[in-house]
Amino acid sequence: MDEMILQYINDLLKLSTKQYTPLFLYSWLTNMAHNDVNAAQFGDKTYANFIRNADLNNTILFFMSDHGKL
């Protein structure tokens, strides 16, 4: 599921760059580690590929998490 959303975000970034249109995007991806805090490690490749392949020129990218004490 997260892969599909990240692909959609990548497509929006490409379209924004192509049309010289500013883009503000806020996305909250929770599927990967919602029920299992340890499952977040399995998203490393997914997010690394997204960052590697996305057009991030003139982009500010924030990653946040909220997995404190259970």
Side-chain angles (χ1 to χ4, degrees):
M1 180 63 139
D2 286 354
E3 292 90 357
M4 289 177 17
I5 295 170
L6 290 173
Q7 182 59 50
Y8 181 71
I9 291 169
N10 196 21
D11 291 344
L12 287 174
L13 289 170
K14 286 179 184 177
L15 183 62
S16 174
T17 300
K18 183 178 175 182
Q19 295 183 352
Y20 303 102
T21 305
L23 174 69
F24 176 83
L25 181 81
Y26 178 81
S27 180
W28 194 265
L29 304 175
T30 61
N31 292 334
M32 192 169 300
H34 183 69
N35 293 322
D36 181 4
V37 175
N38 296 316
Q41 66 184 322
F42 301 114
D44 289 348
K45 280 187 179 181
T46 300
Y47 287 97
N49 287 335
F50 169 73
I51 292 169
R52 193 176 300 115
N53 296 320
D55 181 6
L56 298 175
N57 291 319
N58 298 314
T59 300
I60 298 173
L61 180 65
F62 290 95
F63 276 93
M64 300 182 300
S65 70
D66 184 19
H67 280 289
K69 289 186 175 185
L70 297 174

